């Protein structure tokens, strides 16, 4: 077959690639999707806008803001801004002793406030014409304040200086308050001093008391009878000790089985004996000793007495000039060196015949029968006490110096603190573990007061660490001498503790808790009336 010539051949058709058609289709589909999404978004955005606007309207309604106040051209808004700025300048003008300018500012602030008040009462916005003069006059005063350098930087500096001055005043007032409160807490009221003098006089001039004392020697066997309930109180406060004994007796199911061992100092010994001889406490046995009769209590054996002979210690506690002068006065109180406070660490030596004993502070009130304490199982521990670690500030790190390596190595900072004031002591276990020796060790290590500073609780926490059995909190309720205590806790509490400065026998005592203490004082007693005890 013959081929056609090139001039007579059909033209070849160019084919469009498949990739082109696929791309075109994809673009069309994408355009279609975009158009659909725009249509769907419009109503959503409109609804979101509607929601935002309704929320905005609710906020405005809640703040009582009007449309006129929100307007950038609002006269009311301008006046309010001027008043706020003028008040700030007024404070600085007074601080600068520019009293004339302060008076002008104050007068103009009042004028502007009157305009705003009148507009609010008639419920119509302020007009430019009626507020023009007030805005102009205030603007002139504000410009004048700027010329006096009452600008923002000056205001900030002055306010900072003022805040610093107020903080210094507050610190000074707090320090004085603490100092005077401590002095008030340590004072012996004239009425109690009078009671002590009169009782001492009665003891030495009244032959009845001497005869009564000889008769009481027949009860000596009770003082060593371990089948009875033995309590001890170490105090120089006659009336407070009387409340402890009386409240325990009145709330005891078997007062004839209760024995109180009281230890006082020589100054109050005769008065204390006279009071507990002339008054009956429902069959309770009471024995009174004086600390000076304990021959073993001397400087060679007792670290606290040894420290009292040190000149630095005397200066720190008694002159107030030694050591760190920033140390609060409560840490420098000489009463913390009193052997009546530290005698609690020598209980087995004070009462060598006893096996179990309950220690009570003289600022407690007993309102339940305590006989069950003597049958408690301490699980091999020496001290039964109520823990106070419900909050972190009552843990060991609150009372001890954990920057000292000795404290860090031996004691857990988060260990629970506990309270002195109502403690059950197993004296057999105490002697076996030589707890008094542990106390001596830590007292000697603290001769420079670097382990702790305050009171007998810190050495107690060290001495009885790992030897304390937690008791039910209802046995011992604390805080009635410095804080508010839940009424239900007070109702359930067996022993109420007026720990803190506000003791119930002082004028600074908390009035709402005084009746709890007063109910155990016989204010009709002739001696109390003579000494105006009330």
């Amino acid at each position: 077959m013959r081929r056609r010539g090139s001039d007579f051949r059909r033209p070849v058709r160019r084919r469009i690639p498949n990739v082109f058609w696929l791309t075109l289709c994809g673009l069309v589909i994408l355009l279609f999707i975009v158009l659909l999404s725009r249509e769907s978004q419009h109503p959503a955005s409109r609804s979101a806008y509607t929601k935002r606007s309704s929320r905005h309207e609710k906020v405005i309604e809640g703040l009582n803001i009007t449309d006129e106040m929100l307007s950038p051209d609002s006269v009311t808004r301008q006046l309010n801004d001027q008043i706020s700025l003028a008040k700030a300048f007024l404070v600085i003008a007074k601080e600068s002793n520019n009293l004339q300018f302060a008076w002008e500012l104050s007068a103009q602030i009042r004028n502007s406030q009157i305009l705003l008040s009148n507009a609010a009462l008639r419920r119509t916005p302020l007009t430019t014409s009626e507020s023009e003069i007030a805005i102009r006059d205030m603007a002139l005063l504000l410009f004048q304040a700027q010329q006096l350098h009452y600008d923002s930087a000056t205001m900030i500096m002055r306010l900072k200086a003022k805040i610093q001055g107020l903080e210094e005043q507050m610190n000074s007032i707090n320090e004085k308050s603490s100092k005077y409160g401590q002095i008030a807490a340590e004072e012996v009221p004239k009425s109690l001093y009078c009671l002590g003098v009169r009782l001492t006089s009665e003891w030495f001039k009244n032959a009845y008391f001497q005869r009564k004392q000889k008769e009481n020697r027949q009860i000596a066997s009770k003082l060593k009878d371990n089948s009875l309930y033995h309590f001890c109180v170490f105090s120089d406060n006659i009336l407070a000790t009387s409340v402890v004994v009386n409240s325990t007796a009145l709330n005891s199911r078997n007062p004839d089985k209760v024995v109180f061992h009281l230890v006082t100092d020589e100054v109050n010994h005769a008065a204390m004996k006279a009071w507990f001889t002339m008054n009956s406490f429902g069959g309770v046995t009471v024995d009174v000793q004086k600390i000076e009769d304990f021959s073993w209590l001397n400087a060679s054996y007792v670290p606290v007495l040894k420290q009292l002979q040190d000149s630095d210690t005397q200066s720190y506690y008694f002159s107030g000039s030694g050591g760190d002068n920033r140390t609060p006065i409560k840490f420098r109180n000489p009463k913390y060196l009193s052997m009546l406070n530290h005698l609690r660490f020598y209980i087995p030596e004070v009462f060598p015949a006893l096996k179990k004993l309950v220690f009570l502070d003289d600022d407690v009130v007993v309102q339940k029968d305590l006989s069950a304490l003597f049958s408690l199982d301490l699980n091999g521990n020496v001290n039964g006490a109520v823990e106070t670690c419900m909050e972190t500030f009552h843990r060991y790190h609150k009372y001890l110096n954990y920057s000292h390596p000795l404290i860090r190595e031996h004691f857990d900072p988060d260990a629970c603190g506990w309270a002195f004031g109502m403690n059950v002591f197993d004296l057999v276990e105490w002697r076996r573990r030589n707890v008094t020796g542990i106390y001596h060790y830590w007292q000697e290590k603290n001769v420079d007061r670097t382990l702790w500073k305050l009171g007998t609780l810190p050495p107690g926490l060290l001495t009885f660490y790992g030897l304390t059995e937690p008791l039910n909190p209802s046995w011992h309720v604390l805080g009635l001498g410095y804080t508010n205590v839940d009424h239900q806790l007070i109702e359930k509490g067996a022993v109420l503790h007026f720990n803190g400065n506000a003791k119930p026998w002082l004028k600074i005592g908390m009035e709402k808790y005084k009746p709890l203490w007063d109910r155990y004082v016989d204010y009709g007693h002739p001696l109390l009336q003579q000494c105006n005890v009330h």
Side-chain angles (χ1 to χ4, degrees):
M1 182 181 285
R2 299 174 64 182
R3 287 180 173 272
R4 289 183 182 181
S6 59
D7 294 336
F8 296 99
R9 292 177 187 168
R10 292 179 181 177
V12 179
R13 292 183 179 177
R14 294 183 179 178
R15 292 185 178 182
I16 300 172
N18 291 333
V19 174
F20 173 78
W21 292 110
L22 290 172
T23 304
L24 185 62
C25 291
L27 288 172
V28 171
I29 292 169
L30 184 63
L31 181 63
F32 182 71
I33 291 170
V34 168
L35 289 172
L36 284 176
S37 64
R38 280 189 178 179
E39 288 298 322
S40 61
Q41 281 177 1
H42 281 308
S45 62
R46 278 195 296 270
S47 64
Y49 177 77
T50 306
K51 286 180 182 177
R52 281 199 299 271
S53 353
S54 64
R55 194 184 308 119
H56 187 60
E57 287 172 3
K58 286 181 181 178
V59 171
I60 290 173
E61 184 180 351
L63 294 174
N64 198 23
I65 297 173
T66 63
D67 292 336
E68 194 263 341
M69 291 172 69
L70 294 173
S71 170
D73 301 322
S74 167
V75 175
T76 302
R77 182 176 176 181
Q78 189 175 354
L79 265 179
N80 276 316
D81 290 345
Q82 283 186 330
I83 289 171
S84 299
L85 189 57
K87 285 180 177 179
F89 286 148
L90 177 62
V91 173
I92 296 178
K94 289 180 179 179
E95 288 292 322
S96 303
N97 208 28
N98 192 348
L99 300 181
Q100 177 62 30
F101 185 60
W103 180 85
E104 291 175 7
L105 276 171
S106 183
Q108 193 55 47
I109 288 170
R110 281 197 300 274
N111 290 339
S112 298
Q113 286 175 334
I114 288 170
L115 279 175
L116 292 171
S117 177
N118 290 337
L121 287 172
R122 70 172 185 249
R123 299 181 182 278
T124 57
L126 274 173
T127 62
T128 306
S129 58
E130 65 182 326
S131 59
E132 182 180 3
I133 297 173
I135 291 174
R136 186 194 63 200
D137 291 347
M138 183 68 88
L140 288 171
L141 285 175
L142 296 177
F143 178 76
Q144 188 178 347
Q146 291 177 353
Q147 297 303 307
L148 292 169
H149 302 292
Y150 292 173
D151 53 9
S152 298
T154 306
M155 289 170 63
I156 291 169
M157 292 301 293
R158 287 181 178 274
L159 288 172
K160 281 184 176 179
K162 183 67 176 176
I163 290 169
Q164 186 177 359
L166 289 172
E167 285 178 348
E168 289 175 358
Q169 288 181 26
M170 183 183 69
N171 291 336
S172 175
I173 290 169
N174 285 341
E175 186 178 347
K176 288 179 180 177
S177 174
S178 175
K179 183 177 181 179
Y180 296 144
Q182 195 69 36
I183 292 170
E186 294 166 20
E187 72 168 356
V188 178
K190 288 190 291 184
S191 56
L192 296 188
Y193 179 77
C194 165
L195 179 64
V197 171
R198 287 184 177 273
L199 283 169
T200 302
S201 176
E202 287 291 327
W203 176 261
F204 286 110
K205 75 177 184 182
N206 197 327
Y208 165 77
F209 291 133
Q210 312 299 328
R211 189 168 61 253
K212 189 80 172 174
Q213 187 185 29
K214 289 178 182 178
E215 293 174 3
N216 287 344
R217 287 175 183 171
Q218 298 173 1
I219 64 169
S221 60
K222 279 191 169 185
L223 303 179
K224 300 178 181 180
D225 187 349
N226 282 292
S227 66
L228 303 179
Y229 307 132
H230 293 269
F231 298 86
C232 71
V233 181
F234 306 143
S235 174
D236 57 1
N237 188 321
I238 299 162
L239 193 61
T241 306
S242 176
V243 167
V244 177
V245 176
N246 194 32
S247 60
T248 305
L250 291 176
N251 291 290
S252 175
R253 295 192 190 97
N254 299 294
D256 56 314
K257 297 185 69 175
V258 173
V259 180
F260 264 94
H261 303 263
L262 311 180
V263 181
T264 188
D265 53 24
E266 191 159 16
V267 174
N268 295 281
H269 185 230
M272 193 83 78
K273 286 194 296 183
W275 180 260
F276 285 98
T277 302
M278 71 169 58
N279 294 295
S280 173
F281 293 90
V284 168
T285 301
V286 181
D287 179 57
V288 182
Q289 300 180 73
K290 60 180 176 180
I291 200 169
E292 287 79 7
D293 288 341
F294 303 142
S295 57
W296 48 266
L297 208 60
N298 53 63
S300 62
Y301 177 61
V302 179
V304 170
L305 292 176
K306 185 179 180 180
Q307 290 168 19
L308 274 172
Q309 298 175 356
D310 181 67
S311 58
D312 289 341
T313 302
Q314 291 175 1
S315 176
Y316 180 85
Y317 283 103
F318 296 98
S319 71
S321 59
D324 184 2
N325 289 325
R326 293 174 299 173
T327 304
I329 187 172
K330 68 177 182 178
F331 293 113
R332 308 166 79 90
N333 190 344
K335 78 173 186 177
Y336 295 122
L337 290 178
S338 165
M339 279 313 302
L340 283 176
N341 274 316
H342 286 267
L343 199 62
R344 64 192 68 189
F345 296 104
Y346 299 94
I347 288 176
E349 287 155 292
V350 178
F351 312 110
L354 298 183
K355 295 180 180 179
K356 202 167 194 177
L357 177 140
V358 172
F359 167 82
L360 296 173
D361 269 338
D362 65 359
D363 55 353
V364 306
V365 165
V366 177
Q367 59 176 14
K368 307 280 184 184
D369 179 67
L370 300 183
S371 59
L373 288 171
F374 293 86
S375 58
L376 284 178
D377 184 4
L378 298 184
N379 296 311
N381 288 306
V382 177
N383 172 31
V386 169
E387 291 182 334
T388 57
C389 61
M390 288 73 75
E391 303 290 343
T392 56
F393 53 81
H394 281 143
R395 297 183 185 271
Y396 267 50
H397 63 76
K398 168 67 177 176
Y399 306 99
L400 305 173
N401 177 19
Y402 273 85
S403 64
H404 198 290
L406 264 179
I407 298 296
R408 269 200 318 273
E409 291 168 11
H410 292 88
F411 304 99
D412 177 8
D414 290 323
C416 281
W418 45 266
F420 269 131
M422 196 292 297
N423 303 81
V424 185
F425 290 122
D426 183 337
L427 302 185
V428 174
E429 199 65 24
W430 183 316
R431 296 182 185 99
R432 190 179 73 82
R433 292 175 180 255
N434 189 24
V435 172
T436 302
I438 298 173
Y439 163 72
H440 283 173
Y441 171 82
W442 289 112
Q443 277 291 349
E444 288 166 357
K445 291 294 182 183
N446 194 46
V447 66
D448 55 357
R449 298 174 299 279
T450 55
L451 304 186
W452 73 85
K453 289 186 178 181
L454 174 65
T456 53
L457 181 56
L461 295 176
L462 301 182
T463 301
F464 295 102
Y465 184 71
L467 301 174
T468 299
E469 179 70 15
L471 303 182
N472 189 303
S474 64
W475 281 115
H476 186 189
V477 176
L478 297 115
L480 280 76
Y482 72 93
T483 189
N484 291 317
V485 183
D486 185 84
H487 179 70
Q488 291 184 346
L489 291 178
I490 292 175
E491 285 292 322
K492 295 177 182 177
V495 175
L496 307 180
H497 198 166
F498 290 82
N499 57 314
N501 285 339
K503 303 299 184 190
W505 56 85
L506 299 175
K507 290 181 180 179
I508 61 172
M510 298 178 74
E511 290 295 331
K512 61 180 177 180
Y513 298 138
K514 276 189 174 184
L516 297 169
W517 191 83
D518 285 341
R519 70 177 68 166
Y520 298 106
V521 181
D522 179 13
Y523 288 107
H525 193 285
L527 281 176
L528 297 189
Q529 291 189 337
Q530 290 171 24
C531 290
N532 198 27
V533 177
H534 55 76

